[in-house]
Amino acid sequence: MGSSCLVSLTFCFLVLFNCCFAQIEQVTSQRGQQQQGKRRSQQQNECQFDRIKALEPARRIKSEAGVTEIWDENDQQFQCAGVVVIRHTIKQQGLLLPSYSNTPKFIYVDQGRGFHGAAIPGCPETFQSSGQNSRDRRESSEDQQQKDQQQKVRQVREGDVVALPAGVADWFYNNGDSPLVLVQLLDTSNAANQLDQDFRKFFLAGNPQQELQSQRSSNQRGQHEGESRRGQQERYRNLFGGFDERLLAEAFNVDTKLVRRMRNENDNRGIIVQVQHELQVVSPQESTEEEEREREHQRRQGGGSNGLEESFCAARLKHNINNPEDADVFNPQAGRLTTVNSLNLPILRHIQLSAQRGVLYPNALMTPNWNINAHSICYITRGSGRIQIVGDNGQAVFDGQVQEGQVITAPQNFAVVKKAGSQGLEWVSFKTNDNAQISEMAGRVSVIRAIPEDVLANAFQISREDARKLKNNRDEVSVFSSSQESRRGRD
């Protein structure tokens, strides 16, 4: 009898677990659809334009140990994509102060190396200091026994992408011997942002400059709110500056003198500050063995994720897309493409973003293509070249040269072609879908290759022989060498 009850109980538990599991998968799928639906509804009237420009930063804000540059969020291409682009340049021993935003953030490490910390709500402090550094030795033995505990601190280097959900506070520190350059994409159209289309930075320390906040003209933010803010003060403060001192002292169980230091009222260092002594944090040394374990984890995962395989607290937040060995497409005569999406960095499914790293050798070409399900925001990391973007009316909305440090947006379904200059062309493209896909127009896996010869012959009013040339003269995939130029010149 007891055995029969146990079997029945086990069966009921399995049924309940499977039902809950199915519901979680359904909710995850519905959340992605809802996010894409919100993006569509917010951008119906934002992508009607005749011209796109390659843009330099519009605002430059200096801090004690670095510079922050912001592209013009009022430009039509950024309003169309529903994003904001920011670049931080952090000097040696510079600390980008802890902050969070109302949008998910996708960060590309363009140069240098350093530490990155993310304080994820509800997750335990699994790292603990040994208390054996020189600073600790100067303290009393009682203080040494109180070891510092923290959440995981990750080492970042050139080529890393870092994904952060909305509302998660994070910081960066440059422990290298060159500037640490971070290019950030803030997705203001993401469903996680329930405020408005303005990006908002909430700082936990320092006195952020007013120019750091959004200057986008938002119809959803009331005029009264803007007037009240201007009436209160011209200078922004960190979040602790708005609370009553005694309430904060009670909340932290400290005296009001320490609380006043937290408010940083007379701090004019900006949001990137100089660390006087080397920053003392607990972070394991990154090694090739750790990288190999990450790759093995991805291979075991097989690209699939059910939302339960990786807990949020232990989720990987970064992935390197700079290693040629990890390229998805490689042509020794032309270059390579490397993609990071929710298949190899599962947290991207949560924030609905992905990225592609492109490297073209001198005079090489990336096949004409269009983004099927995403906008593509392209940041030029090295070199120069020519880009053309063509809209639905068959007219070029952009045809010009691009160079290092510029940003240009290719709206969803607009056709794009890139050709490198004499020094090559490198870029990283942020895409507004966690599994963004492209359709190629030339080459071995192109849409033209998939169409029958007779269809092409009648569509273009050409012979079957010419249709065969269109289909088969390029046998490369995605990135093309420049070896065909001399042949075209003779035709």
Side-chain angles (χ1 to χ4, degrees):
M1 181 69 179
S3 175
S4 176
C5 291
L6 181 61
V7 171
S8 300
L9 182 62
T10 303
F11 177 76
C12 292
F13 174 77
L14 289 174
V15 171
L16 178 62
F17 176 80
N18 286 329
C19 290
C20 293
F21 183 79
Q23 285 183 334
I24 290 173
E25 286 193 315
Q26 184 178 9
V27 168
T28 302
S29 175
Q30 288 176 348
R31 180 168 54 191
Q33 294 173 0
Q34 289 171 356
Q35 288 188 351
Q36 294 302 322
K38 180 184 177 185
R39 184 183 299 278
R40 285 194 300 270
S41 65
Q42 289 175 338
Q43 298 165 354
Q44 286 178 348
N45 300 317
E46 301 290 350
C47 296
Q48 305 296 325
F49 44 76
D50 300 322
R51 191 63 54 189
I52 294 175
K53 298 178 182 178
L55 297 177
E56 306 276 354
R59 305 200 299 279
R60 179 182 173 89
I61 303 103
K62 291 184 178 181
S63 295
E64 179 187 44
V67 175
T68 299
E69 298 163 293
I70 305 176
W71 274 256
D72 181 13
E73 65 267 35
N74 288 311
D75 189 274
Q76 278 188 308
Q77 61 181 289
F78 297 134
Q79 293 195 2
C80 168
V83 300
V84 175
V85 181
I86 299 175
R87 181 171 61 200
H88 296 292
T89 302
I90 306 172
K91 297 178 182 178
Q92 291 177 256
Q93 289 188 252
L95 173 67
L96 179 60
L97 293 175
S99 69
Y100 62 91
S101 69
N102 59 323
T103 73
K105 290 191 292 188
F106 206 13
I107 304 161
Y108 176 72
V109 182
D110 187 35
Q111 179 184 326
R113 63 183 176 88
F115 290 132
H116 172 247
I120 301 176
C123 296
E125 294 81 22
T126 55
F127 281 46
Q128 180 173 287
S129 68
S130 63
Q132 297 301 313
N133 56 63
S134 59
R135 187 182 305 174
D136 287 334
R137 285 195 293 268
R138 291 194 298 267
E139 297 174 350
S140 66
S141 58
E142 180 181 353
D143 290 337
Q144 284 187 10
Q145 294 175 2
Q146 297 180 358
K147 299 176 181 180
D148 183 28
Q149 291 183 318
Q150 64 189 47
Q151 287 190 19
K152 182 175 181 179
V153 174
R154 298 162 178 85
Q155 297 193 45
V156 295
R157 58 188 172 91
E158 182 176 330
D160 279 345
V161 291
V162 180
L164 281 174
V168 172
D170 75 316
W171 53 269
F172 281 89
Y173 172 70
N174 182 357
N175 70 335
D177 53 8
S178 64
L180 176 62
V181 181
L182 310 171
V183 181
Q184 296 187 352
L185 180 98
L186 282 68
D187 185 10
T188 57
S189 290
N190 195 283
N193 173 24
Q194 299 185 28
L195 294 177
D196 50 38
Q197 290 300 290
D198 293 351
F199 76 91
R200 304 193 191 196
K201 288 277 193 176
F202 299 82
F203 282 88
L204 299 177
N207 275 329
Q209 300 92 326
Q210 186 173 357
E211 296 83 1
L212 287 165
Q213 299 297 343
S214 176
Q215 295 185 7
R216 176 172 288 171
S217 301
S218 174
N219 294 327
Q220 296 166 349
R221 177 183 296 185
Q223 183 179 1
H224 175 73
E225 180 183 349
E227 290 176 352
S228 62
R229 284 191 176 188
R230 287 192 296 272
Q232 290 173 3
Q233 59 179 13
E234 288 296 327
R235 190 181 64 164
Y236 279 66
R237 298 184 293 176
N238 69 54
L239 290 175
F240 295 114
F243 287 110
D244 180 81
E245 290 182 2
R246 288 166 296 183
L247 287 178
L248 284 179
E250 183 178 357
F252 284 94
N253 194 23
V254 296
D255 58 43
T256 55
K257 181 179 178 181
L258 181 54
V259 167
R260 282 193 289 271
R261 296 295 299 270
M262 293 172 62
R263 292 159 66 98
N264 291 115
E265 292 183 351
N266 298 317
D267 189 346
N268 297 314
R269 296 176 297 169
I271 65 168
I272 308 174
V273 302
Q274 192 72 48
V275 174
Q276 298 304 317
H277 305 284
E278 185 177 353
L279 199 69
Q280 301 293 331
V281 296
V282 182
S283 179
Q285 291 296 318
E286 191 176 57
S287 65
T288 55
E289 293 181 2
E290 182 180 356
E291 293 180 0
E292 184 57 35
R293 284 197 300 269
E294 280 199 3
R295 293 195 185 99
E296 181 61 27
H297 169 75
Q298 295 167 19
R299 285 192 289 268
R300 288 199 310 269
Q301 200 173 34
S305 174
N306 59 23
L308 295 176
E309 295 175 4
E310 187 173 26
S311 73
F312 199 72
C313 293
R316 290 186 305 114
L317 301 183
K318 73 182 182 76
H319 182 88
N320 193 277
I321 55 175
N322 217 27
N323 191 345
E325 294 182 358
D326 295 331
D328 300 297
V329 175
F330 176 69
N331 183 334
Q333 281 77 45
R336 66 182 186 270
L337 297 175
T338 307
T339 298
V340 56
N341 55 31
S342 58
L343 300 180
N344 51 14
L345 188 60
I347 196 172
L348 293 179
R349 175 174 293 184
H350 182 76
I351 69 173
Q352 291 288 298
L353 294 171
S354 58
Q356 180 189 71
R357 168 88 165 126
V359 176
L360 288 180
Y361 300 155
N363 302 312
L365 182 78
M366 182 173 176
T367 179
N369 67 89
W370 68 84
N371 290 277
I372 294 176
N373 56 352
H375 301 301
S376 178
I377 300 89
C378 178
Y379 174 79
I380 308 300
T381 60
R382 304 284 187 278
S384 62
R386 182 185 180 187
I387 293 181
Q388 284 188 314
I389 303 176
V390 178
D392 58 308
N393 60 0
Q395 301 294 320
V397 295
F398 180 81
D399 182 3
Q401 296 293 313
V402 294
Q403 60 187 8
E404 181 178 338
Q406 291 184 323
V407 173
I408 187 167
T409 301
Q412 179 185 5
N413 296 142
F414 281 46
V416 187
V417 64
K418 298 182 179 77
K419 181 173 175 60
S422 59
Q423 302 300 315
L425 179 66
E426 301 182 23
W427 70 90
V428 59
S429 292
F430 301 97
K431 305 202 176 188
T432 57
N433 191 295
D434 68 293
N435 190 18
Q437 300 175 0
I438 67 170
S439 181
E440 301 185 5
M441 301 172 71
R444 182 151 49 93
V445 294
S446 67
V447 61
I448 293 296
R449 193 75 168 258
I451 297 176
E453 290 178 4
D454 267 1
V455 175
L456 295 176
N458 284 277
F460 297 132
Q461 294 184 307
I462 58 178
S463 65
R464 285 177 59 93
E465 180 182 357
D466 285 340
R468 194 172 298 118
K469 289 180 181 179
L470 284 178
K471 292 188 62 168
N472 302 318
N473 272 17
R474 273 289 188 186
D475 204 39
E476 298 163 298
V477 175
S478 300
V479 288
F480 301 157
S481 64
S482 59
S483 59
Q484 304 290 324
E485 288 187 347
S486 58
R487 181 185 303 175
R488 288 199 305 271
R490 290 194 300 268
D491 292 343

